[in-house]
């Protein structure tokens, strides 16, 4: 009696299986959401809440401007502080999605009375969007496979190093929000194709708009989706659902994307966007044919009509494209696009793209580093996808294969491939685990049924049959299951290790281990930038290699000649030429650019290897690409790049060498080595007696990493 | 009739005014200074002048107002003036602090001068005498010459003064001692008898100087002490009744000595520390209250990693190093922040009010502050703030919105110009606060979460679809 009453009382709290499942799923998702956020906070714990690397400093500076001056000023901002004397139309040459997002979060928090600094918002934007990406991955996985695959996909993408590399706290870059936008757009589009609903098509158009506003990688979407549609058309999967989804997404997405000033009319004018338009027209032809087929009941007549129409359509399309390109209305493909399709293109034609380390072709090791077990789960997932082909799985297969190709072309595009790899691997994991558990559970069930209802003999026989037919299968399933969990746990360990060791360094502050195992911090960059900010005239112009441009304007608050935007190759080449000329000639160039200070980065004292001397050959190449006076062989000895006594005479006397090694010859860097021993290159320098005539040392940081020189006014003529 | 009355009134007023002026202008002549000794300390960029005056009342009436005179340039650089009356004899002396106020003197003196009046505690009777000790503190008073120096040169400065003490009274005997930081004195003007021994230059004794007698001198000497000046310090003290006081200090630091000229060479600076950049400085020491916690040191572009904190039960010392050594004319801005336990600084007064008792000053040791702003952020919902500061300051009220504030916090802003370490003293801010306001923010958060869960429950249970 009392027993039943307690059970009655507990009844409302007892959950049905479905509710239990929901509860477990929601709590797993919540945990994954939190995990994705906190695993990206290593850099904040190790260092501090700060902006990392180069480009994020520009984004931070513009976000600051946006919050201080409002949206219209931001939109119309002409920046005098960069690309002196040309300037830069910032509002028209950036993707504003990231800044607007951060500013909106900032406004929202302030509206809710949370007094946070904009820097904190910027630092945490990328982890926040990474968390959101896990949710999208869950829904995407659910859409293409089942909710189990969705959960696995969410977990895999939450810790995948390929994604973490661009979304740790402080890495305030376009990619941080763009990967979320990319996956979200794809998810909405696949949903729209599956449902054939206008509402989802509209949603995917807006997702596309957000992606366009956030990152130049939107070109991938606008080419992948038409390609996908084309594949569906060819494989005979054309349907009304596809028609609705694609047309809605393309037309509205294109119109919305035109609102971004940097993109403008490219959707109708640039060669990179023409595939989408071609497929759009092809869709109309298909629809028309469908209608004609419906009207004409004669198959033979239709076949003839089909051949005429298709020929005409293709011819018309070809002529239109030809005329467009010839008349210059449609711009040809850009160099960046070419370099994506052909890995060797940039090396031969655009040194400025090739000089960036993240534009190099990917090494096998970095695939292993960034994907770990996903690398061989990926083909397994592809197998499962092919086994159960649907519109959705075709999409993920195409996304996976194309992005894997691009990931092989450029290191930084591993990022784009990561969501696809995670999703496909999730399908593999989920399908395998599901199959195995079904195997285990079904046997138990049979055994149970046998034991409960049969007679003793039947029981014995069933047991015996089980033991004879499937003992090995059961144990095998158990072993495989354990193997899968072992692999997944290795993956988790690997991801955490990679995140903490490789991807959580801000690269502004350098850390090293001291002689006694203590942590030594080299904060020279900020020392120099802060010196510039405080102790130079506010209108001083600083010349440096373009890598440091964004940081100088953001942290030093001074005008720079060139920066990481690299929109004007000639200007960069001029700086490269100045750095690789003799001091007299360089002085002429410096005077003509109205430069007050020259900044170089030098690692000879600390052994910091990514300094200007090691980047110098790129300066020579880029300078020589525009000014043939600069010839690369002049700086090499038998094709070898040296800075010691055997170096080329032009090398020993060019401006960059002089500025880097000025008075370095008096410096003892390492015990037991001669003075002037360069620790970054491991040689004694070749020119220890450096005299500067037109420049003077203005500041050198405590570890010599940044050296700033002041340009002297010209001598009086009398 | 009316015109006549008006004329009478005017006449009466004129007479009254005349009488007033006559009575006002009489006191200075009453005193004679029988002995004056002045000690000027030039060892840092804060100049301390100790003046010991033996004042004798030679007038007929008792008088209590002694007037001091300073030149206008001195007044411009004057950070503080303080006067003590010395009582008792020999070893059993006690000193009483006296009130000093700037005044105007109507009778035109032979030279341009500004005046301060010391109000004696007891009027000095005719024929009596008393000893007064006066402390002047001057800032920005040493003039670097040459105004620009290179890295390897040391800093030379000029000190301008007069060998005879400027005074509206007759001085019977006076002596001046000038202490320089080192024996390196380039030049100084002699007014015989003048004598220089080691780091001390002695002017005098001079006998029987009439009022307003002066004799300009200058001393040109080496002073390599760091001329560290905080151009502006904004200190924000935020009180939370949950047990914490958060202090945030924004500094604009400048080296106010001779400007750095030409090259800054790191090789020379690192290898020859003593002969190079002698007047520059790298380290600063801040003395913070005991039991300080969560100390940070940063600037606009991030954390500055070079600082050390030493704490013990009595005090905490924070040694900070700006990002780069400061040479003449170089600037650095930074922020220091720390938390303090509430019970050490917040007390309840008898009339049911609460008050904050905190140090008015700059924690950096030996620092001159051109403009010091202290902002006391009271908790939300506190009323009737009233500051009590031992010296005159400007004060006003502001509002600040911190996290989860709805009506804003009252901020008491205190501003003081020309602040020197001798000003360091405690000040109080009284206010009334109802502890119920402490619960406002937790309740707000709790209700927000509650609303969120209610919304979730409602969303799950309500069917929003149009189709049935």
């Amino acid at each position: 009696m009392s027993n039943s009453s307690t059970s009655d009382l507990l009844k409302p709290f007892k959950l049905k299986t479905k509710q239990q499942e929901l509860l477990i799923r929601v709590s797993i998702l919540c945990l994954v959401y939190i995990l994705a956020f906190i695993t990206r906070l290593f850099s904040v714990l190790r260092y501090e809440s700060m902006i990392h690397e180069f480009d994020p400093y520009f984004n931070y500076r513009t976000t600051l401007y946006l919050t201080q001056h409002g949206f219209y000023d931001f939109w119309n901002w002409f920046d005098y502080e960069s690309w002196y004397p040309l300037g830069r139309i910032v509002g028209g040459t950036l993707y504003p999605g990231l800044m607007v997002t951060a500013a909106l979060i900032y406004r929202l928090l302030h509206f809710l009375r949370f007094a946070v600094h904009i820097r904190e918002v910027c630092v945490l934007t990328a982890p926040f969007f990474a968390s959101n990406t896990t949710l999208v991955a869950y829904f995407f996985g659910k859409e293409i496979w089942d909710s189990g695959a969705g959960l696995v996909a969410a977990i895999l993408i939450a810790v995948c190093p390929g994604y973490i590399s661009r979304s740790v706290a402080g890495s305030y870059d376009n990619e941080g929000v763009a990967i979320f936008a990319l996956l979200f757009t794809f998810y909405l589009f696949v949903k729209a194709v599956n449902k054939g609903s206008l509402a989802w098509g509209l949603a995917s158009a807006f997702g596309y708009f957000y992606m366009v506003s956030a990152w130049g990688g939107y070109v991938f979407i606008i080419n992948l989706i038409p390609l996908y549609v084309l594949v569906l058309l060819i494989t005979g999967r054309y349907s009304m659902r596809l028609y609705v989804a694609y047309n809605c997404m393309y037309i509205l997405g294109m119109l919305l994307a035109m609102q971004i000033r940097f993109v403008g009319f490219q959707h109708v004018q640039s060669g990179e966007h023409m595939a989408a338009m071609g497929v759009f027209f092809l869709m109309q032809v298909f629809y028309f044919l469908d209608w004609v087929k419906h009207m004409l009941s004669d198959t033979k007549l239709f076949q003839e009509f089909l051949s005429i129409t298709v020929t005409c359509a293709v011819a018309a399309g070809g002529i239109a494209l030809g005329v467009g390109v010839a008349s210059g209305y449609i711009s040809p493909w850009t160099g960046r696009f070419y370099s994506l399709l052909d890995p060797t293109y940039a090396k031969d034609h655009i040194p400025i793209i090739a000089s960036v380390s993240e534009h190099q072709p990917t090494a096998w090791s970095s695939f292993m580093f960034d994907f770990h077990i996903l690398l061989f789960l990926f083909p397994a997932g592809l197998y499962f996808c092919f086994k159960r082909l649907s519109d959705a799985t075709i999409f993920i297969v195409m996304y996976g294969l194309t992005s894997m190709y691009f990931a092989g072309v450029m290191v930084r595009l591993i990022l784009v491939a990561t969501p696809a790899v995670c999703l496909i691997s999730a399908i593999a994991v989920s399908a395998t685990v599901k199959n195995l558990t079904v195997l285990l559970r079904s046997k138990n069930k049979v055994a149970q049924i046998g034991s409960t209802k049969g007679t003793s003999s039947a029981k014995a026989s069933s047991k015996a049959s089980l033991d004879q037919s499937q003992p090995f299968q059961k144990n095998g399933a158990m072993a495989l299951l354990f193997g899968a969990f072992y692999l997944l746990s290795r993956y988790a360990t690997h991801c955490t290790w990679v995140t903490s060791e490789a991807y959580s360094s801000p690269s502004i502050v350098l850390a090293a281990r001291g002689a006694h195992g203590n942590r030594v911090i080299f904060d020279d960059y900020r020392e120099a930038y802060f010196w510039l900010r405080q102790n130079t005239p506010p209108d001083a112009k600083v010349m440096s290699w373009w890598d440091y441009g964004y940081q100088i304007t953001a942290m030093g608050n001074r005008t720079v000649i060139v920066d990481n935007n690299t929109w004007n190759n000639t200007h960069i080449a001029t700086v490269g030429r100045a750095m690789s000329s003799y001091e007299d000639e360089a002085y002429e160039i410096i005077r003509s650019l109205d430069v007050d200070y020259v900044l170089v980065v030098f690692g000879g004292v600390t052994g910091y290897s990514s300094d200007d001397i090691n980047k110098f050959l790129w300066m020579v190449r880029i300078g020589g690409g525009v000014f043939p006076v600069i010839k690369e062989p002049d700086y090499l000895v038998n094709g070898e790049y040296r800075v010691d006594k055997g170096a080329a005479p032009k090398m020993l006397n060019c401006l960059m060498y002089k500025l880097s090694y000025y008075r370095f010859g008096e410096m003892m860097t390492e015990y037991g080595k001669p003075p002037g021993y360069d620790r970054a290159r491991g040689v004694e320098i070749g020119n220890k007696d450096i005299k500067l005539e037109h420049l003077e040392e203005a500041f050198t940081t405590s570890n010599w990493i940044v050296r700033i020189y002041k340009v002297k006014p010209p001598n009086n003529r009398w | 009739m009316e015109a006549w009355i008006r004329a009478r009134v005017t006449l009466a007023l004129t007479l009254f005014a005349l009488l007033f002026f006559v009575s006002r202008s009489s006191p200075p002549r009453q005193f004679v200074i029988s002995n004056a000794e002045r000690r000027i300390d030039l060892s840092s960029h804060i100049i301390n002048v100790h003046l010991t005056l033996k004042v004798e009342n030679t007038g007929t009436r008792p008088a209590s107002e002694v007037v001091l005179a300073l030149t206008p340039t001195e007044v411009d650089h004057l950070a503080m003036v303080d006067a003590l009356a010395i009582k008792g004899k020999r070893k059993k002396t006690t000193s009483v602090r006296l009130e000093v106020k700037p005044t105007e003197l109507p009778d035109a003196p032979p030279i341009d001068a500004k005046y301060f009046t010391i109000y004696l505690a007891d009027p000095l009777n005719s024929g009596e005498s008393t000893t007064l000790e006066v402390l002047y503190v001057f800032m920005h008073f040493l003039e670097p010459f040459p105004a620009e120096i290179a890295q390897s040169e040391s800093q030379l400065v000029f000190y301008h003064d007069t060998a005879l003490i400027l005074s509206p009274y007759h001085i019977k005997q006076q002596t001046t001692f000038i202490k320089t930081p080192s024996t390196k004195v380039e030049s100084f003007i002699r007014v015989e008898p003048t004598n220089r021994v080691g780091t001390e230059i002695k002017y005098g004794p001079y006998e029987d100087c009439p009022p307003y007698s002066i004799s300009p001198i200058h001393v040109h000497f080496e002073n390599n002490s760091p001329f560290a000046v905080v151009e502006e310090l904004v200190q924000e003290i935020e009180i939370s009744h949950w047990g914490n006081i958060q202090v945030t200090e924004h500094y604009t630091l400048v080296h106010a000595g001779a400007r750095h000229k030409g090259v800054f060479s790191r090789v020379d600076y690192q290898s020859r520390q003593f002969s190079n950049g002698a007047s520059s400085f790298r380290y600063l020491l801040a003395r913070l209250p005991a039991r300080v916690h969560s100390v940070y040191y940063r600037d606009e572009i991030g954390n500055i990693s070079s600082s050390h904190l030493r704490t013990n039960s009595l005090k905490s010392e924070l040694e900070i190093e700006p990002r780069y050594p400061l040479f003449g004319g170089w600037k650095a801005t930074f922020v220091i922040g720390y938390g303090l336990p509430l019970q050490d600084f917040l007390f309840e007064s008898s009339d049911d009010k609460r008050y904050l008792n905190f140090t008015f000053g700059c924690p950096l040791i030996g620092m001159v502050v051109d403009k010091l702003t202290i902002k006391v952020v009271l908790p939300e919902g506190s009323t009737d703030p009233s500051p009590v500061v031992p010296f005159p300051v400007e004060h006003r009220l502001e509002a600040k919105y911190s996290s989860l504030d709805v009506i804003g916090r009252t901020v008491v802003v205190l501003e003081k110009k020309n602040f020197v370490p001798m000003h360091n003293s405690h000040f109080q801010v009284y206010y009334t606060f109802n502890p119920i306001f402490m619960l406002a923010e937790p309740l707000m958060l709790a209700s927000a979460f509650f609303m969120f869960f209610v919304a979730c429950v409602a969303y799950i249970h309500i069917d929003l679809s149009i189709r049935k």
Side-chain angles (χ1 to χ4, degrees), chain A residues 139-155:
Chain A
F139 286 111
F140 204 172
K142 198 179 162 190
E143 190 64 30
I144 53 177
W145 202 257
D146 57 15
S147 58
L151 279 182
V152 179
I155 298 167

Side-chain angles (χ1 to χ4, degrees), chain A residues 224-503:
Chain A
L224 179 66
I225 286 182
L227 192 66
Y228 163 65
V229 172
L230 197 66
V231 167
L232 287 190
L233 292 183
I234 290 168
T235 52
R237 284 177 165 268
Y238 168 77
S239 65
M240 204 55 206
R241 293 178 285 115
L242 185 66
Y243 183 81
V244 169
Y246 183 72
N247 285 337
C248 178
M249 188 263 164
Y250 176 65
I251 305 245
L252 281 171
M254 178 173 75
L255 288 177
L256 285 170
M258 283 180 184
Q259 311 309 312
I260 306 296
R261 268 174 74 194
F262 193 27
V263 177
F265 290 109
Q266 282 187 26
H267 276 79
V268 290
Q269 286 189 337
S270 127
E272 289 145 21
H273 302 72
M274 280 303 125
M277 190 180 271
V279 169
F280 171 70
F281 286 121
L282 202 63
M283 284 292 271
Q284 312 312 319
V285 172
F286 257 77
Y287 187 76
F288 177 67
L289 286 175
D290 224 31
W291 178 72
V292 170
K293 192 180 179 184
H294 178 72
M295 300 301 277
L296 290 175
S297 41
D298 191 348
T299 341
K300 203 184 165 196
L301 215 62
F302 176 69
Q303 287 292 338
E304 259 173 45
F305 183 76
L306 182 74
S307 58
I308 292 169
T309 326
V310 169
T311 322
C312 287
V314 170
I319 289 168
L321 193 69
V323 168
V325 173
S327 65
Y329 178 76
I330 298 172
S331 63
W333 289 354
T334 57
R336 275 167 205 264
F337 200 70
Y338 269 121
S339 62
L340 263 184
L341 298 178
D342 175 8
T344 56
Y345 180 81
K347 215 173 185 178
D348 301 333
H349 296 92
I350 326 168
I352 204 152
I353 291 181
S355 75
V356 181
S357 63
E358 61 182 20
H359 290 165
Q360 304 300 320
T362 317
W364 271 109
S365 59
S366 57
F367 270 119
M368 197 58 204
F369 199 64
D370 280 354
F371 289 142
H372 198 236
I373 62 163
L374 304 186
L375 210 54
F376 58 86
L377 286 177
F378 179 67
L382 286 181
Y383 163 75
F384 281 108
C385 287
F386 277 115
K387 244 178 87 175
R388 204 174 98 182
L389 270 187
S390 67
D391 289 355
T393 46
I394 290 179
F395 181 82
I396 196 70
V397 165
M398 293 204 48
Y399 173 26
L401 292 178
T402 46
S403 60
M404 266 313 236
Y405 174 74
F406 291 131
V409 174
M410 269 192 197
V411 179
R412 68 187 291 199
L413 291 180
I414 281 189
L415 179 71
V416 177
T418 304
V421 171
C422 286
L423 278 164
I424 293 175
S425 310
I427 290 171
V429 172
S430 170
T432 315
V433 171
K434 201 169 190 174
N435 287 347
L436 293 174
T437 44
V438 162
L439 210 64
L440 283 175
R441 284 169 68 105
S442 68
K443 267 178 292 170
N444 291 344
K445 226 177 192 173
V446 168
Q448 263 182 10
I449 290 163
S451 68
T452 45
K453 75 173 184 188
T455 56
S456 63
S457 65
K459 195 164 125 191
S461 72
S462 73
K463 215 174 182 179
S465 73
L466 266 174
D467 281 357
Q468 280 164 10
S469 68
Q470 299 176 319
F472 153 85
Q473 210 175 11
K474 188 181 173 184
N475 291 342
M478 285 296 277
L480 282 177
L481 216 50
F482 274 114
F485 283 120
Y486 174 73
L487 276 182
L488 288 175
S489 62
R490 294 300 307 163
Y491 173 71
T493 338
H494 171 82
C495 292
T496 317
W497 175 77
V498 168
T499 311
S500 90
E501 292 296 314
Y503 291 142

Side-chain angles (χ1 to χ4, degrees), chain B residues 404-449:
Chain B
L404 295 175
D405 285 354
V406 179
I407 51 173
R409 301 180 184 217
T410 314
V411 184
V412 181
V413 185
L414 307 169
E415 272 184 12
K416 169 95 183 98
K417 292 217 165 81
N418 290 356
F419 182 91
V420 285
M422 295 78 185
H423 277 118
N424 270 343
S425 57
H426 283 88
F427 75 103
Q428 292 82 31
V429 176
Y430 289 85
Y431 63 97
T432 38
F433 177 73
N434 191 345
I436 201 82
F437 280 105
M438 279 169 72
L439 293 175
E441 289 174 4
L443 282 180
M444 262 164 59
L445 276 182
S447 50
F449 274 105

Side-chain angles (χ1 to χ4, degrees), chain B residues 239-290:
Chain B
I239 303 168
S240 158
H241 277 260
W242 288 96
N244 190 40
I245 292 182
Q246 183 62 39
V247 185
T248 317
E249 293 160 356
H250 298 260
Y251 291 88
T252 309
L253 185 73
V254 70
H255 187 302
R259 294 185 64 82
H260 177 69
K261 177 179 72 179
V263 176
F264 166 70
S265 168
R266 182 64 75 168
V267 179
D268 292 340
Y269 186 74
Q270 279 173 341
S271 56
R272 289 175 278 273
Q273 286 269 350
F274 294 102
S275 59
N276 264 281
S279 65
S280 73
F281 59 92
R282 280 176 77 179
Y283 298 98
L284 301 166
L285 193 66
R287 192 158 287 154
L288 304 177

Side-chain angles (χ1 to χ4, degrees), chain B residues 446-464:
Chain B
S447 50
F449 274 105
F450 181 71
M451 295 298 280
F452 174 72
F453 286 121
V454 166
C456 283
V457 169
Y459 176 76
I460 288 170
H461 284 271
I462 296 171
D463 187 7
L464 288 171

Side-chain angles (χ1 to χ4, degrees), chain B residues 70-86:
Chain B
L70 289 173
T71 62
T73 33
E74 282 176 331
V75 172
D76 287 344
H77 296 104
L78 184 69
M80 73 181 284
V81 50
D82 209 359
L84 299 173
I86 306 294

Side-chain angles (χ1 to χ4, degrees), chain A residues 437-668:
Chain A
T437 44
V438 162
L439 210 64
L440 283 175
R441 284 169 68 105
S442 68
K443 267 178 292 170
N444 291 344
K445 226 177 192 173
V446 168
Q448 263 182 10
I449 290 163
S451 68
T452 45
K453 75 173 184 188
T455 56
S456 63
S457 65
K459 195 164 125 191
S461 72
S462 73
K463 215 174 182 179
S465 73
L466 266 174
D467 281 357
Q468 280 164 10
S469 68
Q470 299 176 319
F472 153 85
Q473 210 175 11
K474 188 181 173 184
N475 291 342
M478 285 296 277
L480 282 177
L481 216 50
F482 274 114
F485 283 120
Y486 174 73
L487 276 182
L488 288 175
S489 62
R490 294 300 307 163
Y491 173 71
T493 338
H494 171 82
C495 292
T496 317
W497 175 77
V498 168
T499 311
S500 90
E501 292 296 314
Y503 291 142
S504 294
S505 144
S507 91
I508 286 282
V509 183
L510 312 165
R513 292 263 162 236
H516 309 290
N518 52 331
R519 195 151 163 261
V520 186
I521 297 267
F522 299 127
D523 203 357
D524 286 38
Y525 280 108
R526 288 194 293 186
E527 181 182 342
Y529 297 145
F530 205 65
W531 184 85
L532 275 178
R533 189 188 186 103
Q534 297 287 343
N535 302 314
T536 56
D539 60 345
K541 271 75 78 180
V542 183
M543 182 173 94
S544 72
W545 191 233
W546 60 267
D547 295 22
Y548 316 106
Y550 278 164
Q551 292 179 350
I552 294 171
T553 40
M555 285 193 271
N557 199 16
R558 291 293 173 267
T559 308
V560 293
I561 306 297
V562 291
D563 67 24
N564 310 44
N565 188 231
T566 63
W567 64 273
N568 189 328
N569 193 33
T570 316
H571 218 48
I572 292 180
T574 312
V575 173
R577 183 185 174 187
M579 291 297 191
S580 37
S581 306
Y582 293 124
E583 195 189 347
D584 295 348
E585 300 157 15
Y587 186 65
E588 294 293 315
I589 301 170
I590 286 173
R591 290 291 306 165
S592 71
L593 286 173
D594 198 13
V595 170
D596 300 307
Y597 291 91
V598 182
L599 181 147
V600 295
V601 172
F602 172 63
V605 177
T606 48
Y608 171 59
S609 61
S610 48
D611 66 350
D612 277 348
I613 289 286
N614 281 359
K615 289 176 187 169
F616 183 59
L617 273 190
W618 287 111
M619 301 182 202
V620 173
R621 271 175 215 154
I622 292 169
V626 176
F627 305 101
V629 214
I630 306 295
K631 293 181 198 72
E632 192 179 334
D634 291 350
Y635 300 88
L636 302 174
V637 179
N638 302 328
E640 206 185 338
Y641 181 62
R642 310 172 63 159
V643 295
D644 56 358
K645 278 208 171 60
K650 181 132 195 197
M651 177 73 207
L652 290 178
N653 289 297
C654 69
L655 186 70
M656 176 53 77
Y657 192 94
K658 278 184 151 183
L659 296 188
S660 288
Y661 291 120
Y662 178 64
R663 297 197 68 182
F664 182 66
E666 304 167 28
M667 177 89 177
M668 287 291 290

